[in-house]
Amino acid sequence: TRLLSQFFFADERVTRVVAEINGLNAELDPQQYLVLLNQLHLSQAHLLAVLERIMEECIPTQRHSRDYLVKFPEELLVDSLGNHMLFAAECLLAGTFLEMEESDGAQLRPQARNLLCSLELVRTVLREQSLSQPNSYPEPVRTVLIQFDRLFAEFELSYVSSLVAVKSPDEIYRQQEVIVLFCETVERALHLGYLTQEMIDGYEPLLMFTIPRLAIISGLLIYPEGPLSLERSPEEMSRVFSPFYNLLKKIRDLLWVLSAEELCLLERSLCTAE
């Protein structure tokens, strides 16, 4: 149950798979080579998962900030991102520039080298600690973990930024505006009786359609200076709504001519219509 013991056996497995790959002629047995590569991927993912738990236990208040993750596209925020970063660093160090221009890869190679050297040091230190005192984390262990955590975060941000357009501060702010709009919409809908707390607590599937519909009305009429403000240009709006700029103007014009009773009837119908 001790994390350092788990790390020892996870590290042993990685070492064993790497040794098998190095002793195999890939050209003579390509199928076995692919099998071993998959095993390496899985064993490294397990090793990183255990290492992550160790860092949370050993240096919880000294972890490098991961606030930059909000800049990443949502499709990249998966459990395997860390393992992909490790694989990318290994490829860069080997001179293989996957998914990027060679010039960008050359700039990232020093960071990749530092990260992999730091990981090797972490593996050595933690193995020694697991064999001597598996219940404690002395200062030398903490020091190498802090360094590895920092180098990993710096490489992750640099690598992803070289591949995709990360969100700007303005884009992040606009995204937060939409979140606030949806929260205020739900609060208003509960107050007016359009929705019930039981529907929200029970994850009623209809809410996936109801809340965005109500949010459009709220954004156009109740909070006209918010993220649906049509005083902005489409480029200044959230990417969730900017493609529908002209349609939103037509909807707003129609909403303006409704009476309070008609608006209430419309919102109630939006809570039930499919």
Side-chain angles (χ1 to χ4, degrees):
T1 59
R2 292 176 297 195
L3 287 178
L4 282 176
S5 297
Q6 294 180 34
F7 182 87
F8 177 86
F9 290 108
D11 186 73
E12 282 279 283
R13 177 163 178 77
V14 171
T15 301
R16 184 169 62 252
V17 175
V18 170
E20 290 184 42
I21 291 177
N22 291 337
L24 181 71
N25 189 323
E27 295 182 356
L28 296 179
D29 196 348
Q31 185 174 356
Q32 179 63 16
Y33 181 72
L34 292 177
V35 170
L36 290 175
L37 279 182
N38 183 60
Q39 290 181 6
L40 178 61
H41 175 81
L42 295 175
S43 60
Q44 285 181 330
H46 179 58
L47 182 71
L48 288 178
V50 176
L51 180 56
E52 177 69 22
R53 293 168 59 195
I54 289 175
M55 289 190 291
E56 282 298 310
E57 181 177 88
C58 179
I59 53 170
T61 62
Q62 296 170 287
R63 299 293 305 273
H64 193 82
S65 173
R66 295 307 198 275
D67 290 346
Y68 59 82
L69 290 175
V70 300
K71 298 182 178 183
F72 291 1
E74 283 75 8
E75 60 270 18
L76 291 184
L77 301 178
V78 295
D79 293 338
S80 60
L81 179 60
N83 203 38
H84 183 75
M85 291 300 102
L86 182 58
F87 177 71
E90 292 170 340
C91 289
L92 287 173
L93 197 59
T96 303
F97 306 108
L98 298 176
E99 307 173 318
M100 65 174 56
E101 297 293 331
E102 184 174 344
S103 57
D104 293 332
Q107 291 183 346
L108 285 173
R109 283 189 73 183
Q111 280 186 278
R113 181 182 297 106
N114 292 338
L115 172 60
L116 294 176
C117 289
S118 179
L119 177 58
E120 286 303 309
L121 179 59
V122 165
R123 291 176 63 183
T124 299
V125 170
L126 290 184
R127 281 174 64 90
E128 293 175 352
Q129 187 65 26
S130 67
L131 293 173
S132 57
Q133 294 177 300
N135 291 319
S136 65
Y137 299 104
E139 191 59 33
V141 172
R142 298 167 60 86
T143 299
V144 296
L145 288 174
I146 292 171
Q147 181 188 45
F148 170 75
D149 188 49
R150 176 181 60 81
L151 291 173
F152 196 102
E154 292 174 352
F155 177 78
E156 184 174 56
L157 176 59
S158 298
Y159 183 80
V160 174
S161 299
S162 69
L163 294 180
V164 298
V166 298
K167 298 174 185 175
S168 67
D170 287 340
E171 289 175 308
I172 294 172
Y173 179 76
R174 287 196 290 266
Q175 186 179 46
Q176 292 172 336
E177 279 191 313
V178 174
I179 294 172
V180 172
L181 172 63
F182 273 56
C183 291
E184 292 178 338
T185 296
V186 170
E187 184 177 356
R188 176 174 175 271
L190 288 171
H191 176 72
L192 296 176
Y194 297 155
L195 306 176
T196 66
Q197 191 63 48
E198 289 74 19
M199 295 173 65
I200 296 174
D201 294 340
Y203 300 103
E204 174 63 44
L206 184 62
L207 296 179
M208 295 178 61
F209 303 96
T210 298
I211 294 175
R213 291 168 176 171
L214 294 177
I216 291 175
I217 294 179
S218 294
L220 293 173
L221 291 184
I222 312 302
Y223 311 107
E225 296 181 358
L228 282 181
S229 172
L230 297 178
E231 299 303 316
R232 306 178 180 182
S233 66
E235 293 75 20
E236 295 174 313
M237 297 178 68
S238 166
R239 286 185 291 180
V240 175
F241 297 114
S242 58
F244 311 103
Y245 184 81
N246 291 329
L247 178 60
L248 289 171
K249 291 183 67 174
K250 293 179 181 178
I251 294 174
R252 182 197 59 183
D253 294 342
L254 291 173
L255 292 175
W256 275 349
V257 303
L258 296 180
S259 66
E261 293 77 10
E262 290 172 329
L263 179 62
C264 179
L265 180 61
L266 171 62
E267 290 185 305
R268 287 190 179 279
S269 67
L270 291 178
C271 295
T272 57
E274 296 183 358

